């Protein structure tokens, strides 16, 4: 398995977060026509922070480059991956490869996957499916992508096209880092104290996505009988956590969280600081400033005041600030 490390990370240093990726997005000329689909955000920005684990499933099953184009077709009610000239049905070969590859990726410790959109192999959604003798519908999922999402349902998975949207991009990267921390928890051994600690640190992040999930997950952990296996509890926790984190946060929800955090600090601030903070949150709510502005001000006050519960909140630093993702939402 190939690992592409960021240039800034020394070869003998610890690995940063690992991400699977459709190889054509890194600029590899593996598409059916011998071209690539290099994505600058992935290679030039996110690539400074992650180790890529690239793969091209079509090349991996022995189709050369260039190769005849393939597509999804509906045959007798089932979706099949076939060559356009009808020469070969590749569905079973691709599924077999996907099962083995995804097991290897799991063992390699990936924390997410970026897929090429619209591909009958890698596309995550809205892939064309050709109906018998008719027009294509856009309700397909690439064969490799489907197996990936079925076998690793908690893994953050996104398509490169959707990552052009700043809110989707920010949410995906926040999910990557949350999942990376989750893998660290599992590696240390799922236990009740570790689950409570994870939940405490991610409360405001969850609240900015789906406020109801904070209470639900707190109840799940708080009411679980001592006889419940912590590994089962962890699985149920991550099921619900994943669902909540798939919700892209809105300005209104962020505003609620910011006001909540400000409420914790209120007694420690003088009148002028309180007013400035309130005005900054208002400016964010009305779209005058991006999210990074009120968050930076909150972190400034926190550094001065010191409040351990807030300081450990992932919400206030969900990903490396050099990625500038909070500057664009
Ligand atoms: S979309 Fe997937 S299968 Fe197609 S060239 Fe890219 S990596 Fe290969």
């Amino acid at each position: 398995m190939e690992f592409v490390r960021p240039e800034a990370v020394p070869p003998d240093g610890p690995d940063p977060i690992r991400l699977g990726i459709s190889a054509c997005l890194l600029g590899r000329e593996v598409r059916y026509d011998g071209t690539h689909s290099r994505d600058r955000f992935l290679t030039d920005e996110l690539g400074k922070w992650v180790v890529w684990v690239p793969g091209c499933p079509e090349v991996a099953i022995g189709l050369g480059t260039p190769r005849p184009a393939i597509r999804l077709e509906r045959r007798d009610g089932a979706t099949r991956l076939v060559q356009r000239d009808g020469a070969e049905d590749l569905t079973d070969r691709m599924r077999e490869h996907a099962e083995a590859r995804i097991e290897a990726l799991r063992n390699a410790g990936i924390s997410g996957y970026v897929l090429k959109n619209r591909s009958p192999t890698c596309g995550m959604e809205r892939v064309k499916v050709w109906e018998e003798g008719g027009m294509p519908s856009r309700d397909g999922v690439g064969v490799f992508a489907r197996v990936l999402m079925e076998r690793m349902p908690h893994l953050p998975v996104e398509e490169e096209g959707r990552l052009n949207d700043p809110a989707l991009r920010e949410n995906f990267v926040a999910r990557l880092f949350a999942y990376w921390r989750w893998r660290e928890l599992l590696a240390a051994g799922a236990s009740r104290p570790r689950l409570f600690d994870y939940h405490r640190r991610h409360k405001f992040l969850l609240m900015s996505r789906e406020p109801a999930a904070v209470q639900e997950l707190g109840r799940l952990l708080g009411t679980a009988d001592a006889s419940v296996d912590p590994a089962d509890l962890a699985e149920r926790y991550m099921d619900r956590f994943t669902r909540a984190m798939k919700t892209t946060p809105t300005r209104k929800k962020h505003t609620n969280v910011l006001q909540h955090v400000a409420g914790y600090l209120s007694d420690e601030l003088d009148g002028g600081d309180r007013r400035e903070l309130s005005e900054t949150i208002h400016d964010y709510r009305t779209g005058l400033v991006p999210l990074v502005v009120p968050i930076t001000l909150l972190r400034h006050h926190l550094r001065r005041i010191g409040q351990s519960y807030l300081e450990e909140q992932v919400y206030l630093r969900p990903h490396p600030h050099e990625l500038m993702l909070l500057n664009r939402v």
Side-chain angles (χ1 to χ4, degrees):
M1 185 168 289
E2 182 194 5
F3 298 102
V4 183
R5 296 172 67 83
E7 277 172 22
V9 175
D12 52 353
D15 265 0
I17 192 164
R18 291 182 176 196
L19 278 191
I21 186 166
S22 299
C24 55
L25 295 176
L26 288 187
R28 309 277 168 88
E29 293 174 340
V30 290
R31 296 193 66 206
Y32 73 98
D33 56 1
T35 62
H36 62 78
S37 303
R38 180 172 177 173
D39 183 288
R40 293 277 169 191
F41 164 68
L42 296 173
T43 57
D44 300 357
E45 294 182 51
L46 192 56
K48 291 180 186 154
W49 298 94
V50 304
V51 170
W52 294 118
V53 190
C56 173
E58 291 177 17
V59 169
I61 65 167
L63 305 178
T65 305
R67 55 185 172 272
I70 59 179
R71 68 185 191 182
L72 295 178
E73 284 185 11
R74 201 108 55 206
R75 292 181 175 178
D76 301 326
T79 304
R80 310 295 298 179
L81 181 68
V82 298
Q83 289 181 328
R84 278 190 198 175
D85 58 7
E88 202 178 346
D89 184 327
L90 302 161
T91 319
D92 296 340
R93 252 163 84 191
M94 183 57 81
R95 279 202 194 122
E96 210 173 295
H97 161 70
E99 295 285 357
R101 172 75 179 172
I102 289 157
E103 196 47 39
L105 288 168
R106 187 201 303 277
N107 294 335
I110 57 164
S111 293
Y113 208 108
V114 185
L115 292 161
K116 170 79 185 79
N117 67 0
R118 295 198 295 263
S119 155
T121 299
C122 292
M124 188 179 97
E125 58 184 26
R126 296 189 309 277
V127 178
K128 277 186 192 166
V129 183
W130 295 80
E131 308 290 341
E132 279 165 279
M135 293 294 288
S137 55
R138 276 205 169 269
D139 58 355
V141 177
V143 174
F144 180 87
R146 185 183 289 282
V147 180
L148 174 69
M149 292 187 286
E150 282 173 2
R151 295 289 175 261
M152 299 188 75
H154 300 151
L155 187 78
V157 175
E158 194 49 276
E159 289 188 332
E160 109 284 1
R162 283 167 47 96
L163 289 175
N164 291 324
D165 178 313
L168 294 180
R169 177 185 289 189
E170 190 283 325
N171 196 40
F172 176 61
V173 180
R175 287 177 60 206
L176 290 182
F177 280 87
Y179 189 73
W180 182 53
R181 288 183 290 274
W182 179 252
R183 287 192 57 260
E184 285 188 331
L185 179 154
L186 295 183
S191 67
R192 276 157 211 272
R194 288 196 182 109
L195 290 171
F196 274 111
D197 179 61
Y198 186 89
H199 185 57
R200 194 175 61 248
R201 288 191 293 141
H202 289 83
K203 263 187 190 168
F204 290 157
L205 192 72
L206 274 173
M207 197 188 282
S208 64
R209 272 69 183 171
E210 199 194 325
V214 180
Q215 279 78 39
E216 268 182 56
L217 286 167
R219 254 196 319 274
L220 174 74
L221 297 180
T223 59
D225 197 84
S227 62
V228 177
D229 180 350
D232 291 343
L233 190 57
E235 187 72 12
R236 280 160 57 201
Y237 182 91
M238 210 4 106
D239 278 345
R240 185 67 184 92
F241 185 92
T242 304
R243 251 194 300 139
M245 288 298 292
K246 281 184 180 172
T247 310
T248 310
T250 59
R251 211 166 263 269
K252 191 170 168 206
K253 282 189 191 145
H254 274 309
T255 301
N256 285 342
V257 177
L258 294 168
Q259 285 169 337
H260 207 77
V261 179
Y264 275 91
L265 297 176
S266 180
D267 288 348
E268 310 291 336
L269 301 178
D270 64 28
D273 283 345
R274 263 203 304 277
R275 218 170 16 260
E276 182 192 35
L277 183 54
S278 166
E279 283 168 8
T280 305
I281 294 174
H282 178 268
D283 286 349
Y284 166 70
R285 185 172 69 76
T286 54
L288 279 179
V289 296
L291 184 56
V292 70
V293 176
I295 286 201
T296 304
L297 186 55
L298 283 168
R299 287 181 41 213
H300 161 75
H301 288 312
L302 258 177
R303 251 194 322 275
R304 195 168 50 78
I305 294 165
Q307 220 274 20
S308 58
Y309 174 61
L310 292 180
E311 278 169 331
E312 65 184 6
Q313 286 302 317
V314 168
Y315 179 76
L316 297 173
R317 193 191 277 275
H319 26 61
H321 71 269
E322 290 88 344
L323 280 169
M324 300 205 302
L325 299 172
L326 299 181
N327 302 48
R328 294 165 190 150
V329 292

